């Protein structure tokens, strides 16, 4: 190309330097976030009342404990219950597979709140029958009903996680194991499960986080979990900082869990990194 | 059995018309939230993949907050918080004014915030699946940044994001049940009233569950049809 030759060339748009539009928007938005954060902080400092704190801090802690218990019980019971359901989903028997599918579809297709109402208020319609078989004591308590509903709900989700994880392990692994003379159970325990766990870790972690967030709805059926204590405190004080405290606690738990899952995943996939 | 049909009939004795209104409200709320959530989610995703650090941080703060808070708490924060905040703001100008936040709008904003924070992740994953060559190709034929986005990237993006967004729609449909707590007469609220008045709790809450199931099934059918349409003239990857 000669020095004075001016050939019109279509060039890609130049990469802009300095104060681009993205940068300006970014700084404006960050300023808004900072202002909001500062506003909340100032509000919290202004609204700070040692009396309220002394009265409600222990209640928040006990609420937090109820939330943790509820989630732990339902996730663990749900995990146990999810095994037969996942096996049913993978079964070659059409009837069993269909029943398991219907179970999973029902609990994943309806709101957790509606399921909880169905069990807590709905089973009250069968009070005489439940009393006759001695289960009324269980279904009378809101806490047990919530734990029961959450267990059924999470078991449907966990069954799908389990099924997906087991099916993600290639058929060749089964065939190789049987060629080595391992029994089905041995194959499952020593070859399939360790590989499936890596796939399942993240969905399991997400499910626990979803349960923690979802458990807030028990406040509506008069269980005093973290959300329930928050609503009670707000109803008595009309102080909006009660909700902000709850938000900070929930955000803290979820963030800690999320980072823990990232850390575990990093550790158990070390051998896969190149 | 006859009693059940009377209870569910449309008319003065039955609850059918009330429940139908509830279904209408649930569907309206979900449909009204969808465009809001999609638009915000798309722009948050754009922010997250920007070259600028400040914009990325601002977008990530948004997702962290609304994915980390329980949906119910978000709803209360919006419903009560916006009420208190606006009240204070208005009192600066007019001390006598009284502000009431519409529950429908509060529900829309809260559900939209949750939906958009999840949608931004779906869009982000879809953006990552589009190779750089598509942008370069767009520039090579002389399209501006905006044109490349609109004519080249967006049609592919929608196709890639659709499965994830379908999932989010089903979650949104279920999350609308929460607005019954702030007094909106959706499916769950209407069936709840019916359950309390008639003392047939299991029947009415069972119907609520079935209605949500039917809505989910209808959505699945519609979403499947849309997915097939978008796949018609797509490259197989």
């Amino acid at each position: 190309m000669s020095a004075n030759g001016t050939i019109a060339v279509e060039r890609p748009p130049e990469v802009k330097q300095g104060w681009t539009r993205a940068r300006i928007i970014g700084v404006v938005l960050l300023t808004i976030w900072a202002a909001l954060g500062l506003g909340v902080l100032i509000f919290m400092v202004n609204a700070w009342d040692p009396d309220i704190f002394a009265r409600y801090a222990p209640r928040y802690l006990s609420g937090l404990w109820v939330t943790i218990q509820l989630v732990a019980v339902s996730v663990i019971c749900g995990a146990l219950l999810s095994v037969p359901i996942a096996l049913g989903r993978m079964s070659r028997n059409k009837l069993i597979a269909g029943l398991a599918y219907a179970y999973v579809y029902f609990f994943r297709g309806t709101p957790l709140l509606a399921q909880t109402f169905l069990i807590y208020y709905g089973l009250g319609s069968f009070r005489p029958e439940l009393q006759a078989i001695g289960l009324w004591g269980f279904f009378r308590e809101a806490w047990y009903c919530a734990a029961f509903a959450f267990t059924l709900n999470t078991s449907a989700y966990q069954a799908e996680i389990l099924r997906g994880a087991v099916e993600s392990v290639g058929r060749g692994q089964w065939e190789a194991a049987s060629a080595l003379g391992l029994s089905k159970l041995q194959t499952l325990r020593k070859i399939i499960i360790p590989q499936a766990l890596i796939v399942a870790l993240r969905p399991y972690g997400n499910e626990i986080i979803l349960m923690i967030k979802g458990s807030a709805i028990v406040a509506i059926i008069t269980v005093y979990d973290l959300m329930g204590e928050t609503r009670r405190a707000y109803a008595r004080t009309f102080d909006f900082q009660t909700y902000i405290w709850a938000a900070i606690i929930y955000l803290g738990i979820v963030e800690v869990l999320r980072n823990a899952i990232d850390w575990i995943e990093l550790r158990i996939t070390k051998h896969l990194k190149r | 059995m006859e009693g059940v049909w009377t209870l569910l009939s449309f008319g003065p004795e039955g609850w059918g018309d009330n429940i139908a209104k509830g279904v209408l409200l649930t569907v309206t709320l979900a449909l009204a939230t969808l465009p809001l959530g999609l638009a915000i989610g798309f722009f948050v995703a754009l922010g997250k993949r920007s070259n600028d650090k400040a914009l990325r941080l601002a977008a990530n703060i948004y997702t962290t907050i609304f994915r980390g808070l329980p949906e119910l708490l978000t709803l209360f924060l919006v419903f009560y918080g916006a009420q208190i905040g606006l009240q204070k703001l208005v009192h600066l100008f007019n001390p006598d004014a009284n502000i009431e936040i519409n529950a429908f709008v509060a529900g829309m904003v809260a559900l939209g915030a949750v939906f958009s924070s999840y949608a931004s992740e779906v869009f982000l994953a879809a953006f990552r699946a589009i190779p750089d060559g598509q942008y370069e190709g767009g520039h090579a034929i002389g399209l501006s940044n905006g044109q490349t986005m609109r004519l080249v990237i967006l049609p592919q993006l929608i196709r890639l994001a659709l499965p994830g967004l379908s999932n989010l729609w089903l979650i949104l449909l279920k999350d609308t049940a929460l607005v019954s707590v702030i007094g909106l007469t959706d499916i769950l609220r209407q069936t709840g009233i019916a359950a309390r008045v008639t003392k047939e709790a299991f029947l009415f809450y069972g119907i609520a569950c079935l209605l949500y199931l039917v809505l989910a099934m209808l959505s699945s059918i519609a979403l499947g049809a849309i997915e097939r349409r978008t796949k018609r003239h797509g490259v197989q990857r």
Side-chain angles (χ1 to χ4, degrees):
Chain A
M1 201 196 300
S2 63
N4 55 357
T6 46
I7 305 162
V9 181
E10 294 265 5
R11 295 174 198 282
E14 271 178 40
V15 179
K16 288 177 194 143
Q17 303 287 333
W19 282 88
T20 56
R21 198 170 52 178
R23 182 118 179 247
I24 296 170
I25 298 174
V27 170
V28 168
L29 288 178
L30 265 190
T31 316
I32 295 175
W33 276 130
L36 267 177
L38 203 67
V40 168
L41 197 71
I42 291 173
F43 169 71
M44 297 287 273
V45 170
N46 277 341
W48 175 258
D49 184 342
D51 269 357
I52 290 184
F53 187 78
R55 183 158 354 124
Y56 289 105
R59 293 192 186 171
Y60 270 57
L61 280 183
S62 87
L64 180 61
W65 180 233
V66 171
T67 296
I68 291 172
Q69 276 177 318
L70 196 60
V71 172
V73 165
S74 30
V75 166
I76 291 169
C77 295
L80 295 177
L81 189 58
S82 74
V83 175
I85 299 165
L87 288 177
R89 282 281 274 134
M90 291 187 282
S91 162
R92 277 200 210 98
N93 184 327
K94 281 243 170 77
L95 181 71
I96 296 177
L99 281 177
Y101 180 72
Y103 179 91
V104 169
Y105 198 90
F106 177 81
F107 282 102
R108 296 209 313 171
T110 53
L112 182 56
L113 187 60
Q115 293 162 17
T116 312
F117 280 177
L118 186 65
I119 287 171
Y120 182 57
Y121 296 116
L123 288 186
S125 309
F126 303 109
R127 185 173 174 177
E129 290 89 337
L130 286 172
Q131 270 171 335
I133 51 172
L135 279 177
W136 177 241
F138 183 86
F139 288 108
R140 200 181 45 193
E141 291 285 331
W143 195 94
Y144 288 119
C145 282
F148 186 64
F150 287 4
T151 301
L152 295 183
N153 181 278
T154 189
S155 71
Y157 282 93
Q158 289 190 32
E160 286 301 277
I161 295 172
L162 202 60
R163 187 178 66 95
V166 170
E167 284 181 353
S168 76
V169 180
R171 272 175 56 91
Q173 303 279 333
W174 285 99
E175 287 160 5
S178 85
L180 286 174
L182 296 181
S183 72
K184 265 213 150 159
L185 204 66
Q186 278 174 321
T187 313
L188 199 65
R189 199 162 55 87
K190 298 210 157 148
I191 293 169
I192 307 299
I193 299 276
Q195 298 183 71
L197 270 187
I198 293 178
V199 180
L201 175 75
R202 189 153 285 276
Y204 265 126
N206 285 341
E207 177 59 22
I208 295 175
I209 290 177
L210 284 181
M211 280 313 285
I212 290 177
K213 294 186 347 176
S215 72
I217 61 158
V218 292
I220 301 168
I221 59 163
T222 69
V223 175
Y224 288 104
D225 72 326
L226 182 53
M227 191 72 199
E229 290 292 354
T230 307
R231 289 184 87 196
R232 182 151 71 175
Y234 182 71
R236 292 205 182 144
T237 59
F238 287 109
D239 191 344
F240 193 65
Q241 68 166 321
T242 50
Y243 276 119
I244 294 176
W245 277 115
I248 292 170
I249 298 173
Y250 273 115
L251 264 187
I253 301 173
V254 169
E255 279 307 295
V256 166
L257 263 178
R258 223 161 49 90
N259 286 310
I261 296 161
D262 282 349
W263 185 78
I264 297 172
E265 189 176 39
L266 216 62
R267 284 204 62 116
I268 63 171
T269 57
K270 228 179 214 168
H271 62 290
L272 296 173
K273 293 263 158 24
R274 292 179 194 229
Chain B
M1 208 50 206
E2 205 151 291
V4 171
W5 293 118
T6 327
L7 283 176
L8 295 182
S9 67
F10 289 72
E13 281 117 87
W15 292 87
D17 40 351
N18 302 43
I19 295 173
K21 272 186 208 148
V23 174
L24 195 66
L25 190 119
T26 293
V27 173
T28 316
L29 180 63
L31 283 178
T33 308
L34 185 66
L36 180 77
L38 282 178
I40 299 175
F42 180 74
F43 285 113
V44 172
L46 276 186
K48 276 188 196 162
R49 61 189 304 283
S50 152
N51 290 321
D52 188 71
K53 243 189 206 158
L55 191 52
R56 274 203 309 265
L57 183 61
N60 282 328
I61 293 176
Y62 181 84
T63 338
T64 307
I65 291 181
F66 289 110
R67 274 201 322 184
L69 288 179
E71 290 79 1
L72 187 62
L73 186 58
T74 310
L75 193 62
F76 284 147
L77 284 176
V78 171
F79 189 54
Y80 296 119
Q83 197 140 339
I84 293 170
L86 279 181
Q87 198 113 351
K88 284 206 170 134
L89 202 67
V90 170
H91 277 195
L92 290 179
F93 306 106
N94 179 6
D96 308 317
N98 207 7
I99 293 252
E100 288 245 338
I101 294 274
N102 183 307
F104 188 89
V105 175
M108 218 174 103
V109 170
L111 293 176
V114 176
F115 182 91
S116 61
S117 63
Y118 282 98
S120 74
E121 291 289 302
V122 171
F123 280 127
L124 193 63
F127 267 126
R128 287 196 181 127
I130 296 175
D132 279 344
Q134 297 288 330
Y135 296 89
E136 288 158 9
H139 293 150
I141 56 170
L143 299 179
S144 71
N145 271 337
Q147 282 173 320
T148 309
M149 179 58 76
R150 200 159 41 92
L151 300 172
V152 182
I153 305 301
L154 213 55
Q156 305 182 54
L157 188 76
I158 292 171
R159 197 153 54 225
L160 288 167
L162 205 59
L165 294 178
S166 311
N167 222 352
L168 290 182
W169 163 257
L170 294 176
I171 294 175
L172 173 66
L173 213 52
K174 290 190 284 171
D175 277 349
T176 54
L178 294 175
V179 296
S180 60
V181 182
I182 56 169
L184 273 182
T185 47
D186 73 328
I187 296 178
L188 203 56
R189 179 113 184 151
Q190 296 285 27
T191 48
I193 294 169
R196 224 167 306 140
V197 173
T198 60
K199 303 259 187 289
E200 291 279 357
F202 194 79
L203 172 72
F204 280 107
Y205 285 124
I207 282 167
C209 285
L210 285 183
L211 285 173
Y212 281 108
L213 270 188
V214 169
L215 288 180
M217 279 177 203
L218 291 178
S219 308
S220 299
I221 294 170
L223 290 167
I226 295 174
E227 215 159 301
R228 271 196 299 285
R229 261 188 82 88
T230 59
K231 269 199 188 127
R232 234 179 7 188
H233 27 242
V235 225
Q236 294 300 321
R237 266 200 243 273

